[in-house]
Amino acid sequence: MNSTRRQRISDLLHYLLVDIRHDWVRIFLSLIGFSSIAFCFFILASLSNSLGEFYRTQPSGRNLIIVQSDFIDPTDARMDPMVLEELQKWRDNRIRKISPVIYRHMRVNDHVFLLRSAPLEDWEDIYHLKLMNGDWPEEYGEVAVGKGAAAVNKWILGSEVVIYGSPFRISAIVQSPGTAFSSIWMPFTQGTLLFGENRGYQALYVMIQDAANAEEVRNEIQDHPIISGEYH
């Protein structure tokens, strides 16, 4: 019985090798095609994960998010700096903070991460980051990474990560809302220096006071002349 089974396996391998020798070009091209599909699948899955994190796991609590209308990918958006200036003038005691944030996709070791650049003083109360290890970035060239991003890339405190061609040192590992991949975090001052001001920031977070009516504030912001139609 075992001998018969071995003979069948041997015959299958023989015919497989004959087929490969006979039409090796077609098989080689097919393998390249399958490899390309697999590569694209993993890249798109990582990108989908990042976008999913953006839309599903925004900081909770009394926050309103203002983004440019008609953009699916938040990293493609661009907000006019006048939006922040006008809202800062308009705000009253119902609004605790208005925080701009820059978004960029970056690929590290075949994984796509969402880089977020926001004012450091807003990281804890608006974006709900919790310091796990290290110190908050204080000098240019320092960043914080989510624990998921650190695990995937085997990053530790002091590891170097290249962001858009510039080296940065990991000074903090943080816990943040969202999936295991998390994000890479950079102070807003560093983000504006690294990326320039052509694309500005991609979103604004408006933190509402606990005693205020969030729906009322949202409607008033939506009706503001600088917001209405272009942003939501």
Side-chain angles (χ1 to χ4, degrees):
M1 185 73 178
N2 290 335
S3 176
T4 302
R5 183 177 299 173
R6 285 196 297 268
Q7 183 62 42
R8 288 177 179 175
I9 294 173
S10 177
D11 291 341
L12 287 173
L13 291 175
H14 171 73
Y15 289 125
L16 177 62
L17 291 174
V18 169
D19 187 58
I20 291 173
R21 291 195 191 101
H22 177 71
D23 203 0
W24 65 270
V25 174
R26 178 180 59 82
I27 294 174
F28 177 72
L29 292 176
S30 297
L31 289 175
I32 292 177
F34 285 127
S35 299
S36 300
I37 293 171
F39 177 78
C40 291
F41 170 80
F42 287 116
I43 292 297
L44 291 174
S46 298
L47 177 60
S48 174
N49 180 77
S50 296
L51 291 175
E53 179 185 349
F54 175 82
Y55 286 111
R56 291 194 308 270
T57 61
Q58 294 304 319
S60 58
R62 307 281 293 176
N63 289 339
L64 300 177
I65 307 166
I66 303 174
V67 295
Q68 193 171 4
S69 300
D70 303 324
F71 275 87
I72 297 175
D73 186 343
T75 63
D76 290 334
R78 181 189 182 279
M79 298 195 73
D80 189 326
M82 287 298 296
V83 176
L84 177 58
E85 295 179 20
E86 289 298 317
L87 289 182
Q88 292 286 22
K89 294 176 185 176
W90 171 84
R91 63 181 285 191
D92 54 26
N93 57 10
R94 296 174 299 172
I95 297 176
R96 182 177 170 188
K97 283 184 178 181
I98 302 178
S99 179
V101 59
I102 296 171
Y103 291 109
R104 295 290 188 276
H105 288 307
M106 59 176 294
R107 186 158 62 91
V108 181
N109 299 330
D110 294 329
H111 295 285
V112 178
F113 296 94
L114 190 61
L115 170 68
R116 304 173 187 242
S117 180
L120 182 61
E121 61 270 20
D122 298 337
W123 284 14
E124 294 184 85
D125 53 357
I126 289 185
Y127 303 99
H128 305 301
L129 300 190
K130 180 180 179 182
L131 185 64
M132 298 180 63
N133 295 296
D135 300 297
W136 296 116
E138 295 181 354
E139 301 178 359
Y140 185 85
E142 294 182 338
V143 295
V145 299
K147 63 177 183 179
V152 167
N153 292 284
K154 296 182 172 57
W155 286 333
I156 60 174
L157 295 178
S159 293
E160 182 180 282
V161 54
V162 177
I163 300 176
Y164 285 81
S166 298
F168 286 82
R169 185 182 70 85
I170 296 174
S171 69
I173 296 176
V174 299
Q175 181 175 351
S176 60
T179 59
F181 282 130
S182 296
S183 299
I184 299 172
W185 291 84
M186 176 184 294
F188 190 75
T189 51
Q190 294 193 35
T192 53
L193 287 173
L194 180 63
F195 301 118
E197 299 182 356
N198 286 339
R199 289 182 56 195
Y201 44 86
Q202 280 61 62
L204 285 176
Y205 286 80
V206 181
M207 190 173 190
I208 309 299
Q209 297 284 10
D210 291 341
N213 185 324
E215 184 64 21
E216 180 181 80
V217 174
R218 187 192 72 81
N219 291 334
E220 290 182 21
I221 291 176
Q222 190 67 53
D223 292 337
H224 192 286
I226 202 167
I227 296 296
S228 181
E230 188 168 357
Y231 305 98
H232 65 265

